[in-house]
């Protein structure tokens, strides 16, 4: 059943008076209760498709899936996002409709224990602040840091999400107000709504840069010779939707409606304009958790990131040299390409591949993650890494943070691990910052950087 949205339910662009917001909430609740509306998912109510409403999603182990090709096929046919990969199985998050679809396809699913401590905390206490920063708390923390360290940090709004929230980039460097000729490094976080640990990673880095500059010699030297950009939340609407009701909703995508469909959202990490939708690594179905969008960069959040990155071309040269996109979970370090199983492909020759692998392994040696090409997991097309490298020549990794498997809490590990699991990546981040002036140094070929 498709419920047409009355005007107050349309996503707000910019600010609205409080009363209107309240009215919207009341109308939304009434609709949900009386009609079982699926477009405005309220806790415990509706049961939309995979990754699009997420009230009754549970975690499953899918057995007998052992190769990258089998995993890619499962992701494609099942329209599911794979949360974790094991030797002969994968972990997925799925609602009942998805479970039925997979079982019809012949897959064997086994439900895993909830193991969702952070979610349990949040559900138990709407009024008790969760250990994880909300979007507005994140913005407040950023503003506070920037105002305390004005010579080292500045922030700018680089665009707005579908629902009109600010997407902010923080710059950190000596002489931060001047665009100096220093290698630039970008860190992006929270592209997937429920991966809240990655926002904590951004706040950890900002705090570390702020408080250790002038104290830690290595970090000081790096910030004197580099310009760092941190985007703490690429997907603020998704974050708010997942977190702010007090019960985590297992949401992944953005919150952009899809025309002609009751399913909400685009997977931002399938929406980038490099071989978009090419290779069975994303879904064309709006109900899927890996829906690629109606066209490349159809999601405003994708465009905000790519416009920002394109804006860093100065004097014909892309200033950003290296990038990490932080996700969770699985404890992995991944490099391009995702769209092909081949180690090398147009734009990615053996030297580049070896530099990726060498620096990837160095970083992994520091944090205990597993380093591999991203398609070793499963194929993805339209991912941020492929676009950054294939279209901008930026060395681009994905970090999949803690935990290693769903038993550690999946997307919602307990708040008690935040400090340890963010600090765990300090060294890896510094390693990449260090290499950013010439990644080919890592394979003993500095001449390749000369051009
Ligand atoms: O599937 C994704 O988008 C990422 N995993 S997650 O569980 N956080 O959703 C992995 C992306 C890896 N990058 C590429 N395959 N290019
Ligand atoms: Ca500087
Ligand atoms: Ca610069
Ligand atoms: Zn992710």
């Amino acid at each position: 059943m498709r419920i047409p949205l009355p005007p107050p339910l349309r996503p707000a662009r910019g600010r609205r008076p409080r009363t209107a917001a309240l009215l919207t909430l009341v109308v939304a609740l009434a609709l949900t209760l009386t009609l079982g509306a699926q477009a405005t998912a309220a806790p415990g109510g509706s049961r939309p498709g995979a990754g699009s409403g997420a009230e009754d999603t549970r975690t499953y182990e899918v057995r007998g899936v052992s190769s990258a090709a089998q995993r890619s096929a499962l992701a494609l046919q099942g329209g599911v996002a794979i949360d974790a990969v094991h030797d002969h199985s994968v972990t997925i998050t799925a609602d009942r409709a998805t479970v039925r679809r997979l079982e019809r396809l012949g897959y064997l699913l086994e439900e895993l224990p909830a193991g969702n401590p952070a979610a349990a905390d949040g559900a138990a206490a709407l009024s008790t602040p969760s250990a994880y920063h909300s979007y507005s708390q994140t913005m407040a923390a950023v503003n506070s840091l920037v105002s305390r360290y004005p010579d080292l940090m500045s922030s700018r709004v680089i665009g707005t999400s579908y629902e009109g929230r600010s997407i902010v980039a923080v710059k950190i460097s000596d002489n931060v107000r001047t665009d100096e000729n220093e290698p630039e490094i970008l860190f992006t976080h929270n592209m997937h709504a429920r991966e809240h640990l990655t926002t904590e990673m951004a706040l950890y880095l900002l705090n570390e840069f702020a408080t250790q500059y002038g104290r830690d010699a290595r970090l000081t030297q790096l910030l004197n010779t580099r310009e760092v950009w941190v985007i703490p939340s690429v997907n603020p609407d998704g974050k708010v939707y997942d977190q702010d009701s007090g019960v985590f909703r297992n949401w992944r995508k953005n919150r952009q409606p899809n025309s002609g469909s009751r399913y909400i959202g685009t997977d931002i990490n399938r929406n980038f304009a490099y071989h978009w939708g090419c290779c069975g690594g994303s879904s064309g179905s709006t109900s899927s958790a890996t829906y690629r969008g109606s066209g490349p960069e159809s999601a405003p959040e994708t465009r905000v990131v790519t416009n920002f990155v394109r804006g860093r071309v100065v004097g014909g040269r892309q200033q950003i040299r290296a990038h990490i996109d932080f996700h969770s979970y699985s404890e992995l370090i991944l490099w391009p390409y995702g769209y092909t199983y081949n180690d090398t492909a147009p734009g990615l020759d053996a030297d580049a591949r070896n530099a990726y692998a060498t620096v990837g392994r160095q970083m992994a040696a520091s944090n205990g993650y597993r380093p591999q090409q991203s398609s070793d997991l499963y194929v993805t097309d339209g991912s941020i890494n492929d676009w950054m490298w294939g279209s901008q020549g930026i060395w681009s990794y994905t970090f999949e943070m803690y935990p290693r498997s769903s038993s550690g809490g999946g997307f919602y590990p307990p708040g008690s691990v935040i400090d340890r699991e963010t600090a765990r990546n300090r060294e890896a981040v510094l390693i990449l910052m260090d290499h950013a002036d010439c990644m080919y140094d890592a394979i003993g070929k500095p001449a390749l950087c000369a051009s």
Side-chain angles (χ1 to χ4, degrees):
M1 173 174 47
R2 177 158 176 253
I3 311 295
L5 296 181
L9 285 179
R10 294 222 173 88
R13 292 207 169 265
R15 279 175 188 281
R16 270 184 311 184
R18 247 200 126 93
T19 44
L22 254 177
L23 189 68
T24 304
L25 191 70
V26 170
V27 172
L29 270 173
L31 257 179
T32 308
L33 292 175
T34 55
L35 303 171
Q38 308 210 335
T40 55
S46 55
R47 181 171 294 158
S52 47
E55 277 63 49
D56 196 16
T57 51
R58 297 176 191 198
T59 310
Y60 299 87
E61 202 67 10
V62 187
R63 307 275 169 203
V65 179
S66 308
S67 68
Q70 287 174 329
R71 291 187 288 269
S72 300
L74 165 68
L76 185 64
Q77 295 169 5
V80 292
I82 291 172
D83 302 340
V85 168
H86 306 107
D87 284 353
H88 301 291
S89 68
V90 299
T91 313
I92 62 165
T93 307
D95 59 17
R96 304 228 344 218
T98 305
V99 168
R100 278 196 297 272
R101 189 167 63 249
L102 290 175
E103 285 174 345
R104 273 200 304 274
L105 287 165
Y107 289 103
L108 211 64
L109 274 67
E110 185 185 315
E111 190 177 334
L112 295 173
N116 191 333
D121 293 350
L126 259 171
S127 54
T128 312
S130 149
Y132 289 86
H133 288 76
S134 67
Y135 167 73
S136 70
Q137 290 170 333
T138 303
M139 291 302 110
V142 165
N143 292 338
S144 155
L145 277 170
V146 168
S147 67
R148 272 148 57 210
Y149 298 91
D151 299 328
L152 186 70
M153 290 187 169
S154 69
S155 71
R156 64 189 73 177
V157 176
I158 58 171
T160 51
S161 64
Y162 178 79
E163 291 178 345
R165 293 187 177 84
S166 295
I167 299 176
V168 167
V170 186
K171 182 185 170 189
I172 311 97
S173 186
D174 69 334
N175 311 313
V176 70
R177 259 150 248 296
T178 311
D179 185 359
E180 298 189 295
N181 184 20
E182 298 168 339
E184 300 184 15
I185 299 110
L186 173 66
F187 301 108
T188 52
H189 305 256
N190 188 216
M191 171 191 286
H192 288 144
R194 62 192 166 195
E195 299 170 12
H196 301 289
L197 186 58
T198 68
T199 312
E200 302 303 320
M201 185 69 220
L203 292 174
Y204 167 79
L205 287 179
L206 293 175
N207 269 299
E208 195 67 12
F209 293 148
T211 58
Q212 296 305 302
Y213 183 78
R215 291 206 167 84
D216 179 280
R218 178 162 164 239
L219 187 146
T220 304
Q221 191 266 334
L222 283 170
L223 290 178
N224 283 342
T225 57
R226 308 280 187 270
E227 294 181 314
V228 178
W229 299 97
V230 175
I231 304 178
S233 179
V234 167
N235 183 5
D237 299 349
K239 181 171 176 66
V240 167
Y241 180 75
D242 192 65
Q243 189 175 26
D244 283 19
S245 77
V247 183
F248 289 117
R249 286 167 144 157
N250 246 318
W251 191 256
R252 169 181 172 92
K253 300 189 280 184
N254 75 353
R255 291 295 298 166
Q256 178 180 20
N258 296 303
S259 84
S261 169
R262 66 186 165 90
Y263 296 109
I264 303 275
T266 293
D267 183 353
I268 300 169
N269 212 22
R270 300 295 184 276
N271 190 236
F272 285 78
Y274 189 77
H275 296 298
W276 177 83
C278 69
C279 302
S282 59
S283 173
S285 167
T286 57
S287 65
S288 170
T290 57
Y291 176 54
R292 67 177 75 100
S294 58
E297 302 195 5
S298 58
E301 297 82 4
T302 312
R303 221 155 41 233
V304 168
V305 172
T306 55
N307 283 341
F308 169 72
V309 170
R310 285 186 284 255
R312 296 314 305 148
V313 175
V314 178
R317 179 157 196 205
Q318 176 55 257
Q319 301 297 299
I320 301 173
R321 308 280 189 85
H323 165 240
I324 298 173
D325 189 35
F326 284 94
H327 287 253
S328 68
Y329 59 95
S330 283
E331 302 186 3
L332 302 169
I333 294 179
L334 307 173
W335 59 80
Y337 285 122
Y339 79 88
T340 173
Y341 293 122
N342 297 336
D343 293 1
T344 61
L348 182 62
D349 63 14
D351 287 328
R353 187 265 164 207
N354 291 338
Y356 264 116
T358 302
V359 175
R361 286 178 195 130
Q362 283 176 18
M363 294 192 289
S366 77
N367 63 8
Y369 289 9
R370 176 211 289 254
Q372 58 189 180
Q373 186 181 347
S374 67
S375 56
D376 291 351
L377 280 182
Y378 48 86
V379 166
T380 56
D381 45 47
S383 77
I384 190 170
N385 293 151
D386 287 10
W387 181 82
M388 287 274 181
W389 178 252
S391 136
Q392 301 295 308
I394 296 169
W395 297 90
S396 180
Y397 292 90
T398 288
F399 276 32
E400 295 278 1
M401 295 180 67
Y402 180 89
R404 179 148 296 211
S405 75
S406 68
S407 62
F411 296 109
Y412 305 105
S416 55
V417 309
I418 292 173
D419 289 350
R420 184 189 74 209
E421 294 300 329
T422 53
R424 180 175 177 180
N425 288 321
R426 181 186 198 273
E427 180 66 20
V429 161
L430 295 187
I431 289 172
L432 189 66
M433 285 171 62
D434 193 17
H435 280 300
D437 62 335
C438 179
M439 287 281 289
Y440 290 112
D441 275 349
I443 56 166
K445 295 193 176 183
L448 291 175
C449 291
S451 62

